[in-house]
Amino acid sequence: MLSLGIDIGATKAHGVALDENNQIVAEAAAFTRRGSEGVRSVLMGIASSVADKLGVGLRDFDGVGIGIPGVVDRAKGEIASAVNLDIEHMPLRQLIADEFSVPIRVDNDVKATVVAAGMLLKSLSVTYVNFGTGVASATLAGRLIRGRDNVAGEIGHIVLDPSGDPCRCGQRGCIETILGGAYLAPRMDMLDLDWTRLDLTTTPVGRAALEQSVRVMARVVALVAVAYASDHIVLGGGVVQAAPWLIPAVKATLVERGERVAFPDYASIADQIITLPDDIQAPAIGAALIGQGWTEGYKL
């Protein structure tokens, strides 16, 4: 049995093939190209590369899953909107269906990642929060929580500061404008700060930026902890991976808050936070698992 999973990120795309034991047996990566044709080209290039490494054809895969950011109509296999990829509507499944011999399952990339996290942690009580180009979460609570139109977990557009920076969604001061890489990176450049070493800054501007980032991430973690009460809170995405100082600072902030309030139990929340190793391609693994039909009936 071979399952193909492809994660299309805003910057990079990654594909893996899993064997019958859900172990990676081949993988490939490429830089993402925007727009429908760009995404299709990159996706098929990665699929062909993975197949070539295994010495098989595209029609030999027993399951195919694709994770992609944005609003995904998984019933139709269509991307309704993926702002970071310059896609308004893309009938993805229809565009590549003839290349494979099995039904193609398309899903949101963060939801795919939490499926992989659940398998790796051997748990069906997991919330994953992605701090990447944008900010979003996904939760396993026995099953994958999807919500209406598959948009459960789009927390990046919760407003924290109505007078804050404008967001692409039309609001101001969304979580994404503070911790989403699309906003964070240019802000760091404008302030002449290095996000990866922000903990070492001694300037008032640098300290203020650090304190805001840690405070907001701690608030986001507390939000999902109270909302879903999962056993595990997994944090990931490029913003987290680039800053080794960030998670310890967030945990310390939560513990400090816990010393002043009775509810929620911030110290316990801090203990729930984990990260997955950077070398584990969780989004692509999750896409492969979704291609197997994991969200239709879990195998854990």
Side-chain angles (χ1 to χ4, degrees):
M1 177 178 173
L2 285 174
S3 301
L4 175 67
I6 299 178
D7 169 59
I8 305 292
T11 304
K12 294 181 180 179
H14 202 105
V16 301
L18 304 183
D19 64 13
E20 64 275 8
N21 297 314
N22 289 324
Q23 299 298 307
I24 295 176
V25 291
E27 56 187 308
F31 286 106
T32 301
R33 291 170 51 195
R34 296 178 175 237
S36 294
E37 183 51 40
V39 166
R40 183 189 183 282
S41 176
V42 169
L43 190 156
M44 292 310 305
I46 288 177
S48 296
S49 180
V50 171
D52 288 346
K53 290 179 180 181
L54 292 169
V56 301
L58 293 178
R59 303 183 70 81
D60 293 322
F61 288 110
D62 302 294
V64 179
I66 299 166
I68 195 163
V71 180
V72 177
D73 183 334
R74 70 188 190 97
K76 295 180 179 179
E78 298 180 352
I79 296 99
S81 174
V83 176
N84 292 329
L85 293 172
D86 294 335
I87 292 174
E88 281 302 320
H89 175 262
M90 181 182 179
L92 179 54
R93 179 189 295 158
Q94 178 183 330
L95 292 175
I96 63 174
D98 291 343
E99 306 285 351
F100 301 93
S101 61
V102 293
I104 299 160
R105 292 183 169 94
V106 184
D107 216 324
N108 172 269
D109 60 338
V110 177
K111 289 182 172 64
T113 304
V114 81
V115 170
M119 182 196 75
L120 294 167
L121 294 169
K122 295 181 172 57
S123 173
L124 288 177
S125 180
V126 183
T127 290
Y128 171 68
V129 189
N130 183 74
F131 297 93
T133 301
V135 178
S137 69
T139 296
L140 291 175
R143 302 183 61 83
L144 185 59
I145 295 177
R146 293 190 175 280
R148 184 168 55 85
D149 297 330
N150 203 29
V151 297
E154 292 294 334
I155 61 173
H157 298 291
I158 293 174
V159 175
L160 293 185
D161 179 8
S163 62
D165 293 339
C167 182
R168 60 186 177 171
C169 73
Q171 303 182 107
R172 300 184 72 95
C174 294
I175 291 171
E176 195 162 296
T177 65
I178 302 169
L179 288 174
Y183 298 88
L184 183 62
R187 186 162 66 248
M188 291 294 104
D189 289 343
M190 182 181 67
L191 297 174
D192 195 26
L193 296 172
D194 181 353
W195 173 250
T196 66
R197 297 165 58 85
L198 193 60
D199 59 320
L200 302 179
T201 186
T202 57
T203 67
V205 170
R207 298 307 298 178
L210 182 145
E211 289 168 8
Q212 180 193 43
S213 301
V214 172
R215 182 177 69 252
V216 170
M217 186 170 287
R219 186 178 298 179
V220 171
V221 170
L223 169 69
V224 299
V226 173
Y228 299 113
S230 300
D231 291 341
H232 309 279
I233 301 171
V234 182
L235 304 186
V239 169
V240 171
Q241 293 172 352
W245 54 268
L246 184 57
I247 299 303
V250 169
K251 288 185 176 182
T253 296
L254 288 167
V255 171
E256 181 184 353
R257 288 182 182 176
E259 295 172 351
R260 303 193 302 267
V261 300
F263 182 85
D265 185 348
Y266 285 111
S268 176
I269 292 171
D271 287 339
Q272 291 173 271
I273 297 173
I274 60 174
T275 57
L276 299 176
D278 292 349
D279 60 348
I280 293 179
Q281 302 300 331
I285 293 171
L289 296 175
I290 282 176
Q292 296 175 16
W294 273 48
T295 57
E296 274 55 272
Y298 287 110
K299 301 177 182 179
L300 292 181

